[in-house]
Amino acid sequence: MAERAALEELVRLQGERVRALKQQKASAEQIEEEVAKLLKLKAQLGPDEGKQKFVLKTPKGTRDYSPRQMAVREKVFDVIVSCFKRHGAEVIDTPVFELKDFDIAGQFDPMIPDAECLKIMCEILSSLQIGDFLVKVNDRRILDGMFAICGVPDSKFRTICSSVDKLDKVSWEEVKNEMVGEKGLAPEVADRIGDYVQQHGGVSLVEQLLQDPELSQNKQALEGLGDLKLLFEYLTLFGIADKISFDLSLARGLDYYTGVIYEAVLLQTPVRAGEETLGVGSVAAGGRYDGLVGMFDPKGRKVPCVGLSIGVERIFSIVEQRLEALEEKVRTTETQVLVASAQKKLLEERLKLVSELWDAGIKAELLYRKNPKLLNQLQYCEEAGIPLVAIIGEQELKDGVIKLRSVASREEVDVRREDLVEEIKRRTSRPLCMC
């Protein structure tokens, strides 16, 4: 036994050596040599004695979801999908990309799709009830124009842009030190950038910058500011302007954005009076990318596009945390009624009735025991959140009725068997909630 234990330890150490060499990207010859040593040690070890052990692991980058977690995920997706459909969205699946001809008849206002994307974002976040939020907007043309007038070399636009984008996480001093110390930007240029990127507000800030003697002379910045002013007009008509902040520090790192960019953050309520409200993380983002689709078109046509991304994994975590904090019960099924029996030897009657309900489109269950106690069946309904119980008893069978019980109120009524389906539908016509 001692010899086997020592040999197992050698196998473990050799396995770690092989993994380390692979991580270090050692030469193929060296790795092969060490793998050969590992196989030789395993051969000496021989087959495991006794029962073989199996270890189940989830693949990297994936996770298992419990019934409770899946109920949360489905509710979140239902909110998101229904919101998009309310705005006329179509569902697609794209395992293969195909190029198609685009024909935009007449002229259209490019700010309307941006305004509607922001409206959709606000509707989704409001419907999910995950807390107060703020949507920050900016325009890549304003950023590029600002960098130009501040003296940032063209070659440093994107790297300085990535530094600015960190302002929601670190202080301006830290961002400036990165620009100057790590990216070689002149201190006076960084200071000029700081005068701009620390500003945020509403349409009044847009109007103020339109009067800026330098920024207003830059063509790109002027176009971006003009579009943002129009965007705020539409946001006011949509009733969401109070949820939107023009934030000059918002940069969004992706190069394909060509115009308006936006990002939604959840807000943390101040602990003390007078403190500023803090952002606790991005949950949605998007923007305009008019040049992206044309990259895949042989004719290189410009196709106006806007996009919106919802951070569903972060939202799932937030909803789960909220439910746990409030100790809210989550329904993991959509069962409308449990078919129960009041006496023994009624399994066949329960099976017939549950089959009738299934055929009528009713979501129904029954306990799999032959003769379950009525109390156990009622307790199951309370634990699972099932709203109704259809109870079969000897007297009910003689009278041709089913006793329908409300789990919440414990009220019971006799319903003729032929009327049961309609009565269940009437009582459960309101949308089922998670809790």
Side-chain angles (χ1 to χ4, degrees), residues 40-326:
K40 187 176 180 181
L41 286 170
K42 285 186 175 181
Q44 293 177 37
L45 190 61
D48 290 339
E49 296 178 4
K51 189 176 180 180
Q52 188 176 1
K53 296 179 181 178
F54 292 91
V55 179
L56 298 177
K57 294 182 179 180
T58 55
K60 285 186 178 180
T62 66
R63 57 176 287 198
D64 292 328
Y65 293 97
S66 67
R68 176 188 170 94
Q69 290 170 323
M70 282 305 301
V72 172
R73 289 175 67 89
E74 287 181 358
K75 180 179 180 182
V76 170
F77 274 122
D78 284 346
V79 169
I80 294 171
V81 171
S82 63
C83 183
F84 275 105
K85 287 185 176 181
R86 190 162 61 245
H87 286 262
E90 296 176 305
V91 181
I92 63 169
D93 186 13
T94 56
V96 178
F97 288 96
E98 294 181 4
L99 286 173
K100 296 184 179 180
D101 289 334
F102 295 87
D103 181 20
I104 301 174
Q107 295 182 343
F108 75 105
D109 188 331
M111 284 301 100
I112 295 177
D114 283 300
E116 189 169 9
C117 266
L118 290 166
K119 175 69 171 174
I120 291 171
M121 188 185 287
C122 289
E123 286 181 4
I124 289 172
L125 296 178
S126 296
S127 299
L128 290 171
Q129 299 179 342
I130 54 176
D132 292 335
F133 63 91
L134 180 71
V135 181
K136 300 187 288 186
V137 301
N138 199 1
D139 194 296
R140 289 299 284 266
R141 294 167 296 177
I142 298 174
L143 278 170
D144 288 349
M146 177 187 67
F147 290 152
I149 67 167
C150 289
V152 179
D154 291 352
S155 60
K156 292 185 182 291
F157 270 29
R158 294 284 78 88
T159 187
I160 297 302
C161 189
S162 68
S163 296
V164 168
D165 205 32
K166 297 176 182 177
L167 272 173
D168 62 334
K169 302 178 184 68
V170 299
S171 68
W172 164 246
E173 286 304 317
E174 290 175 274
V175 170
K176 178 183 174 182
N177 289 339
E178 180 181 292
M179 289 178 174
V180 176
E182 297 180 23
K183 299 184 176 180
L185 196 66
E188 61 273 15
V189 174
D191 287 336
R192 294 191 68 190
I193 293 172
D195 292 338
Y196 284 108
V197 297
Q198 295 180 81
Q199 298 184 64
H200 52 85
V203 68
S204 59
L205 178 57
V206 178
E207 292 170 344
Q208 176 187 321
L209 293 176
L210 281 168
Q211 302 303 317
D212 183 286
E214 292 184 274
L215 201 60
S216 62
Q217 298 304 307
N218 181 277
K219 183 181 177 183
Q220 273 190 304
L222 194 60
E223 288 177 358
L225 288 167
D227 280 350
L228 273 190
K229 184 178 179 182
L230 182 60
L231 178 65
F232 267 98
E233 290 179 18
Y234 295 150
L235 297 177
T236 301
L237 294 173
F238 283 158
I240 58 170
D242 61 326
K243 288 288 187 184
I244 312 297
S245 172
F246 173 30
D247 192 325
L248 281 157
S249 70
L250 179 64
R252 304 286 300 152
L254 298 172
D255 284 344
Y256 57 67
Y257 287 120
T258 57
V260 177
I261 50 178
Y262 24 88
E263 181 176 274
V265 295
L266 291 185
L267 300 177
Q268 178 177 308
T269 305
V271 177
R272 300 180 184 86
E275 289 185 343
E276 285 192 14
T277 303
L278 302 175
V280 293
S282 171
V283 289
R288 174 168 290 278
Y289 42 95
D290 290 345
L292 186 62
V293 175
M295 293 170 58
F296 303 97
D297 185 346
K299 297 180 181 178
R301 288 167 290 190
K302 184 178 180 181
V303 181
C305 294
V306 293
L308 169 62
S309 174
I310 306 295
V312 288
E313 292 298 335
R314 176 169 286 185
I315 289 173
F316 292 150
S317 298
I318 293 167
V319 173
E320 284 178 349
Q321 290 169 12
R322 180 179 64 80
L323 291 172
E324 288 174 7
L326 297 175

Side-chain angles (χ1 to χ4, degrees), residues 248-414:
L248 281 157
S249 70
L250 179 64
R252 304 286 300 152
L254 298 172
D255 284 344
Y256 57 67
Y257 287 120
T258 57
V260 177
I261 50 178
Y262 24 88
E263 181 176 274
V265 295
L266 291 185
L267 300 177
Q268 178 177 308
T269 305
V271 177
R272 300 180 184 86
E275 289 185 343
E276 285 192 14
T277 303
L278 302 175
V280 293
S282 171
V283 289
R288 174 168 290 278
Y289 42 95
D290 290 345
L292 186 62
V293 175
M295 293 170 58
F296 303 97
D297 185 346
K299 297 180 181 178
R301 288 167 290 190
K302 184 178 180 181
V303 181
C305 294
V306 293
L308 169 62
S309 174
I310 306 295
V312 288
E313 292 298 335
R314 176 169 286 185
I315 289 173
F316 292 150
S317 298
I318 293 167
V319 173
E320 284 178 349
Q321 290 169 12
R322 180 179 64 80
L323 291 172
E324 288 174 7
L326 297 175
E327 297 183 349
E328 289 189 21
K329 189 174 181 180
V330 177
R331 283 203 65 184
T332 57
T333 72
E334 294 184 5
T335 304
Q336 296 166 286
V337 61
L338 179 82
V339 175
S341 54
Q343 292 95 25
K344 293 181 178 180
K345 298 181 180 180
L346 290 173
L347 175 60
E348 290 184 4
E349 294 298 331
R350 284 193 293 139
L351 291 174
K352 283 196 293 184
L353 180 57
V354 79
S355 181
E356 289 175 22
L357 295 176
W358 287 336
D359 291 343
I362 300 294
K363 297 170 183 174
E365 287 185 50
L366 79 165
L367 297 190
Y368 295 147
R369 294 180 181 176
K370 282 188 176 181
N371 298 300
K373 293 181 179 179
L374 181 59
L375 180 60
N376 291 344
Q377 296 171 87
L378 297 178
Q379 285 178 339
Y380 174 76
C381 288
E382 291 184 0
E383 292 169 2
I386 299 172
L388 298 172
V389 190
I391 303 173
I392 304 173
E394 293 173 358
Q395 189 61 47
E396 283 78 15
L397 288 172
K398 290 178 183 178
D399 296 342
V401 299
I402 301 295
K403 194 177 294 294
L404 192 61
R405 177 185 174 105
S406 167
V407 176
S409 67
R410 301 188 178 181
E411 176 189 0
E412 295 180 347
V413 294
D414 287 342

